[in-house]
């Protein structure tokens, strides 16, 4: 008889063998990979958060003497240790772009002496030309000095709100009042042109119509002139009050109070004041309009465009994807063709997004949009209405891009609906359609929403296809506003993703724009997270409602 | 040998509710039913017994054409419901399923309220007046001996009910459309003895109104509830007779072995 004997391998060999037998090495590998991924994501978020969150903080202003006798004053933004021949350097944000031609300056640290922080150093956030850093001399109204020395600082804060209010009023008249008059004038002219187009060739158009349009245009023209006069006067009044400032090297600079967004003395601000300043700037960033070719001011139009585009996309992609998935799974005869269609759908998700952009441009913008213009807006041609990029076409392009995600998710969730539920409904005499509509669809809503969430996350972050289907650097009007017909789906729009690209890589003043890139990125991430959380919350509520049986 | 002549228990007063003749069923190439022929009496409880995989569920699902949902099923032979061929091309499957209700092994209440579960069959048939629905819901729940337990929570989710209550809800749901026949495929297999007793009691009540066909693996249950019993083995109907006869005095040796627990 043969008895199996237990061989005694060396201790370590047996241990390794045991390790492999138990699969511990796989466990370690999987754990390690997961850990690395988490680390990378955390690192990414930390980088963005750390850079994005500090953008609004009022850092202290430092004045220094240079070796050549000149003086510099600004915020120390970076230092660089000596590398081989290059000596250690210090970067200062000195502002005063219109005087210096630069905001930032690198200086070898050895040349700098006498670092100090003058308590009365003033930093001024302006409508134009970036920040001013210097000292306040006096405040003038209509050329007369009304306050100087310490009183000037108080006076500045006293007069500034009034001046800004006047400027804002002037701006409102220019944008809303004059804008509306312009739009009406445009419409009157279009009426004439459309009558011209409809009239048989050669025939003169109705003189009555022509006369009425002409009187209307004349009336509007006089309205326009009046509004111009009013706004011009407001502007003139708003710039009556001015602050006279001095830079560290003695140049004088006059700034109208109306173009001062904020004036502050970071060297004497308490922590509470700094927080207040921080919050007020953050609020302006989220709710304000961009200034200075997007490198200053807020990003509200971009937030608005991003959210609205994502929502339009979701509204379009959801029914399309769901209907397609139901057809594929429930009605189409399963066979070679359906298999091919499925493969095509899955591959569609991997097509580079710019390809979708090109398709959107060719199909939606030129073909569909051009067709709409021919039929509905012939009087405006050759100026396109829908035949150019706009939020609708961008949203549709993204819907096309994300529809595979929704189809796949929906198909999966349909397949996961328990057979019992379906059979229970059919056995009660429900038709196939009734069963799908009453039982299968509600039960697959959580899965469908998962697909929509993924689609939204993908769509909100996509930039390339938008660049050729309707995103612009600066859109004068939002795609949703108070003027008829409220939804202006033909309008071009701004988008945070494109904004990041534009500010970071296309702006003339890249150094100044850098922190804004991170802040905008942080905002984009937050918005995507927020939209997702909203959809996840919705899904969980529905899931709780439709949880399937105890068995 | 069961062939084209009907297997039929001795005395049935009424004409048969369901009449099966020479029924062959194939899942693809695999034959699951071989020349089954039997008559099911009206307003009686007929039990199908037999070892697992012998085709009880398959036959049951023929009666309301649930097998239509399975890909690659082929059926030969005829099934008459009240004299009408259920495979006739002009027959409306939806109408058939309204006349032949079904209760499944796994209770499958819809993820809706108790009320909506019971009203479902009527709603899909186009009834929407609240008064009519209310009446039917109450009557069906009483009929399924569930009313007293759920009358205060009609609009809560049916998924909050216990397993036994869920199964009785499924019975109420089937009863609500007033079918002629109720098919039950192992309705108690997931229930505890007390819930099982309740369902069995219910079956007794229901047979006054409905023709019931029940599949069960529980010999005592078949003996307690049914009037007739059919024994299947490997897709063939082996013996079909009065329940008493099947259990006390079976004609076939295999039947005897099965009911006495010696194989299966
Ligand atoms: N959808 C299907 N496709 C292929 N074969 C099937 C299918 N359903 C059932 N069968 C086969 O048909 C035969 C009969 O199955 P059926 O479900 O009717 O048995 P059963 O008597 O109800 O068994 P159980 O007591 O376990 O429920 C079995 O061999 C089974 O494998
Ligand atoms: Mg079965």
């Amino acid at each position: 008889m043969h008895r199996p004997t237990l061989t005694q391998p060396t201790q370590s060999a047996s241990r390794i063998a045991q390790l492999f037998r138990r699969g511990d090495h796989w466990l370690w590998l999987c754990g390690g990979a997961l850990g690395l991924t988490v680390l990378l994501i955390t690192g990414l978020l930390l980088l963005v958060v750390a850079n994005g969150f500090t953008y609004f903080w009022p850092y202290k202003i430092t004045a220094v003497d240079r070796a050549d006798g000149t003086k510099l004053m600004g915020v120390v933004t970076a230092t660089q240790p000596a590398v081989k021949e290059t000596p250690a350097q210090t970067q200062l944000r000195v502002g005063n772009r219109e005087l210096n031609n630069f905001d930032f300056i690198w200086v070898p640290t050895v040349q700098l002496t006498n670092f100090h922080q003058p308590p009365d150093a003033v930093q001024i956030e302006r409508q134009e030309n970036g920040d001013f850093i210097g000292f306040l001399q006096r405040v003038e109204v209509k050329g007369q000095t009304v306050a100087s020395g310490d009183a000037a600082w108080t006076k500045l804060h006293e007069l500034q709100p009034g001046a800004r209010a006047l400027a804002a009023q002037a701006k409102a008249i220019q944008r809303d009042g004059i804008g509306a008059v312009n739009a009406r004038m445009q419409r009157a002219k279009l009426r004439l042109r459309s009558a011209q187009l409809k009239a048989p060739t050669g025939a003169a158009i109705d003189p009555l119509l022509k006369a009425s349009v002409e009187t209307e245009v004349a009336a509007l023209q006089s309205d326009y002139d009046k509004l111009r006069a009013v706004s011009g006067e407001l502007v003139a009044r708003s710039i009556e009050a001015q602050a006279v400032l001095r830079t560290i090297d003695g140049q004088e600079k006059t700034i109208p109070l109306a173009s001062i967004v904020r004036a502050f003395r970071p060297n004497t601000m308490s922590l509470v004041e700094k927080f207040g300043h921080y919050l007020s700037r953050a609020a302006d960033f989220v709710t304000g309009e961009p200034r200075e070719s997007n490198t200053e001011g807020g990003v509200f139009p971009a937030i608005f465009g991003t959210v609205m585009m994502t929502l339009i996309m979701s509204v379009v992609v959801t029914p399309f994807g769901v209907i397609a998935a139901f057809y594929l799974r429930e009605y189409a005869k399963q066979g070679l063709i359906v298999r091919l269609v499925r493969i095509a759908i899955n591959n569609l998700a991997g097509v580079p997004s710019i390809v979708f952009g090109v398709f959107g441009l060719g199909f939606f913008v030129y073909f569909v949009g051009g067709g709409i213009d021919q039929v509905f807006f012939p009087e405006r041609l050759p100026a396109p209405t829908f035949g150019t990029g706009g939020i609708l076409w961008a949203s549709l392009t993204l819907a096309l891009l994300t529809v595979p995600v929704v189809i796949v998710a929906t198909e999966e969730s349909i397949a996961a609906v328990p057979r019992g539920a379906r059979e229970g409904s059919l056995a009660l005499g429900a038709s196939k359609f009734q069963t799908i509509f009453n039982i299968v669809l509600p039960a697959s809503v959580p899965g469908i929403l998962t697909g929509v969430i993924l689609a939204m996350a993908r769509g909100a972050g996509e930039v390339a296809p938008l660049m050729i289907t309707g995103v612009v650097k600066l859109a004068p009007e939002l795609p949703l506003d108070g003027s008829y017909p409220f939804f202006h789906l033909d309008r071009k729009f701004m988008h945070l993703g494109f904004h990041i690209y534009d500010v970071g890589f296309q702006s003339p003043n890249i150094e100044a724009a850098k922190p804004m890139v991170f802040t905008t990125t942080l905002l984009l991430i937050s918005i995507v997270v927020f939209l997702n959380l909203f959809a996840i919350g919705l899904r969980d509520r529905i899931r709780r409602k439709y949880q399937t049986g105890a068995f | 040998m069961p062939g084209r002549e009907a297997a039929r228990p001795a005395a049935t007063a009424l004409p048969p509710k369901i009449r099966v003749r020479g029924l062959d069923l194939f899942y693809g190439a695999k034959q699951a039913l071989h020349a089954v022929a039997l008559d099911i009496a009206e307003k009686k409880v007929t039990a199908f017994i037999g070892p697992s995989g012998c085709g009880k569920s398959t036959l049951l699902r023929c009666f309301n054409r649930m097998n239509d949902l399975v890909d690659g099923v082929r059926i030969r032979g005829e099934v008459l419901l009240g004299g009408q061929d259920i495979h006739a091309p002009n027959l409306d499957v939806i109408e058939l399923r309204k006349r032949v209700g079904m209760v499944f092994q796994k209770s499958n209440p819809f993820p809706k309220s108790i009320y909506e579960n019971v009203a479902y069959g009527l709603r899909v048939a186009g009834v929407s007046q609240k008064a009519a629905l209310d009446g039917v819901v109450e009557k069906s729940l009483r009929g399924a001996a569930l009313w007293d337990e759920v009358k205060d929570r009609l609009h809560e989710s049916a998924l909050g009910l216990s397993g036994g209550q869920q199964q009785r809800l499924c019975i109420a749901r089937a009863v609500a459309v007033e079918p002629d026949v109720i098919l039950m495929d192992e309705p108690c297999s997931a229930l505890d003895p007390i819930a099982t007793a309740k369902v069995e009691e219910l079956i007794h009540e229901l047979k006054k109104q409905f023709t019931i066909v029940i599949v069960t693996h529980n010999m005592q249950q078949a003996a307690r509830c049914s009037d007739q019993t059919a024994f299947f083995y490997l897709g063939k109907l082996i013996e079909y007779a009065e329940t008493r006869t099947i259990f006390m005095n079976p004609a076939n040796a295999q039947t005897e072995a099965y009911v006495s627990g010696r194989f299966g």
Side-chain angles (χ1 to χ4, degrees), chain A residues 333-334 418-440 442-443 542-551, chain B residues 61 64 66 69 94 97-98 100-102 104 106-112 117 120-121 123-126 157 159 161-164 166 173-174 177 190-191:
Chain A
K333 196 164 147 37
Q334 305 296 316
R419 229 179 67 180
R422 243 176 242 268
E423 291 191 338
S425 166
L426 290 170
L428 285 170
S431 68
K432 183 167 184 174
F433 176 77
Q434 285 170 326
T435 302
I436 289 174
F437 192 78
N438 292 315
I439 305 295
V440 182
I542 292 173
R543 188 179 278 162
R544 237 173 289 135
K545 205 165 139 200
Y546 286 111
Q547 236 158 21
T548 23
F551 282 99
Chain B
R61 290 162 59 90
N64 63 350
M66 230 34 179
L69 306 178
I94 289 174
R97 290 186 186 146
K98 279 182 196 147
V100 184
M102 189 163 204
F104 297 81
K106 262 168 87 171
S107 64
N108 54 354
F110 304 131
K112 295 171 182 284
N117 262 277
Y120 185 83
R123 281 210 196 274
V124 296
S157 169
L159 303 177
L161 296 174
S162 76
Q166 289 192 1
R173 192 171 75 181
V177 287
L191 303 185

Side-chain angles (χ1 to χ4, degrees), chain A residues 321-343:
Chain A
V322 169
I323 289 171
F326 269 92
Y327 182 78
L328 271 181
R329 170 84 35 194
E330 299 281 348
Y331 287 101
K333 196 164 147 37
Q334 305 296 316
L336 185 68
I337 295 183
V338 168
R339 268 232 306 286
L340 288 179
V341 169
R342 277 216 182 91
I343 292 172

Side-chain angles (χ1 to χ4, degrees), chain B residues 26 31 51 55 76 89 97 109 122 125 131 158 166 173 178 200 210 227 256 264:
Chain B
F26 301 83
Q31 187 162 7
R76 248 188 347 233
R97 290 186 186 146
L122 293 177
Q166 289 192 1
R173 192 171 75 181
E178 303 200 321
E200 284 180 13
F210 307 98
D227 303 301
E256 191 189 353

